[in-house]
Amino acid sequence: MKQHIFLASPHMSEEGYELEYIKEAFDTNWIAPLGKNVTEFEKELAMKLGTEKAVALSAGTAAIHMALKAVGVSQSDVVFCQSLTFSATANPILYEKAVPVFIDSDKETWNMSPTALELAFEKYKKKGIKPKAVLLVHLYGNCAQIEEILEICKKYQVPLIEDAAESLGSTYHGKYTGTFGDYGIVSFNGNKIITSSGGGMLLVNCEDAAEKAAKVLYWATQAREPALWYQHTEIGYNYRMSNIVAGIGRGQLKVLDKRVEKKRYIFEYYQRNLRDLDGISFMPIQSDTRSNCWLTAIQLEETCQVRPMDMIEALREADIESRPVWKPMHLQPVFADCDFISQMEKLSVIDEETGADNSICGQIFKQGVCMPSDTKMTEEDLERVCCIVKKLWG
Ligand SMILES: *Cc1c(COP(=O)(O)O)cnc(C)c1O
């Protein structure tokens, strides 16, 4: 029997660092959403990424929620959000009853298009509306056009939040993603490049970082006021990371660089072996950026004889996991009423089955496949995947 191949699965350190930290938590009875592992994990990640403050939370989604609150997003505020992403990026906007406006991608990075963002600012300026935040994603580890986006945000004086859930370890001009915006978030969910079994971190890069981090910590621990009794003046959340979870995270952080190396190797392997197939192309990576290659994503051009669903199905039959590229948020029924800004003038549905439209991100979705990118994959596994894929071309 051939082994199942995962898209991306947890990969604990060969050295067993995670268990050592967990054992220490047990030995000292710090089985709580606070303790040495939590504090050290925050410090270690902040040090690694070069950011002033990091706050460990129960999930990346919670970190996005806290970032939105920290920049002052509240009811009816507008937030410009990348459309091509996982719903966890956008949902917290709704937790605050704010209004997401989705922004199209560019072809160069698949992430937020600076052109479309500029169009959005112009459109909303005419309505007399200034968004409260811009929410950018570095999809599959691939860096967005961060300098251009930052410049636009500065011009309109709107804070930038970077969703680096998928791009931990990726660098843009040598600087880690998640550290450019006023706030950045990372995730340690089970499928991410490193995992704590579930968890996330808020990176605070703005001025008064210590003060802002303290405020988030306050909201994330039930908004408890400093009094002997339980005193509350604001609505709080139970969003802190457990000390056990943080122990796993600390162990994983030690192997982050190693995992990035392997992910990049997987990307290069696929590129080397599949790039000559007719109509196939790879997620473009800009020069001067170093992607963590969390998932290798490909495109099957309109003219390609193989359809994405055929490839996913063929791999599934061989017990290999792959999946479509994220379905853009502006195409999701739950966000049907939301505005969407694209550089394409006329939008129309191009695929009845999936609902994909001719926006840039709609086309990326329609033509995209995420290849199995599990760091536990062996040379034989990679060969097996490539063999099945090549067969589809006859
Ligand atoms: C995984 C993910 C999140 C959410 O992280 P969780 O830790 O699972 O809450 C947010 N945004 C993107 C783009 C993600 O891939």
Side-chain angles (χ1 to χ4, degrees), residues 18 35 56 84 87 105 118 124 128 138 142 164 170 190 192 211 238 260 278-279 343-344 355 357 392:
E18 297 85 356
L84 189 63
S87 65
S105 292
E118 192 68 73
Y124 278 78
H138 304 286
N142 198 20
S170 298
K192 297 300 187 325
E211 202 178 299
N238 185 6
V260 173
D278 231 17
Q343 53 281 59
M344 305 294 278
D357 64 10
L392 292 167

Side-chain angles (χ1 to χ4, degrees), residues 64 67-68 79-86 89-90 93 101 103-106 109-114 117 133-139 142-153 159-167 172 177-186:
I64 295 171
L68 291 168
V79 175
F80 290 165
C81 176
Q82 183 165 324
S83 185
L84 189 63
T85 186
F86 178 41
T89 309
I93 300 171
V101 168
I103 312 290
D104 203 354
S105 292
D106 60 43
T109 67
W110 294 13
N111 292 305
M112 187 182 281
S113 154
L117 179 62
V134 171
L135 187 38
L136 173 74
V137 188
H138 304 286
L139 220 58
N142 198 20
C143 299
Q145 299 203 45
I146 187 82
E147 256 167 28
E148 289 81 353
I149 300 278
L150 261 177
E151 208 162 289
I152 296 168
C153 288
L160 177 70
I161 300 169
E162 273 178 282
D163 178 345
E166 301 178 1
S167 68
Y172 178 99
T177 56
T179 66
F180 288 86
D182 296 79
Y183 294 90
I185 77 99
V186 297

Side-chain angles (χ1 to χ4, degrees), residues 377-393:
M377 283 172 87
T378 61
E379 289 290 309
E380 293 78 64
D381 290 336
L382 285 164
E383 206 182 304
R384 209 175 118 207
V385 174
C386 288
C387 192
I388 291 163
V389 169
K390 281 182 195 159
K391 254 196 209 138
L392 292 167
W393 268 257

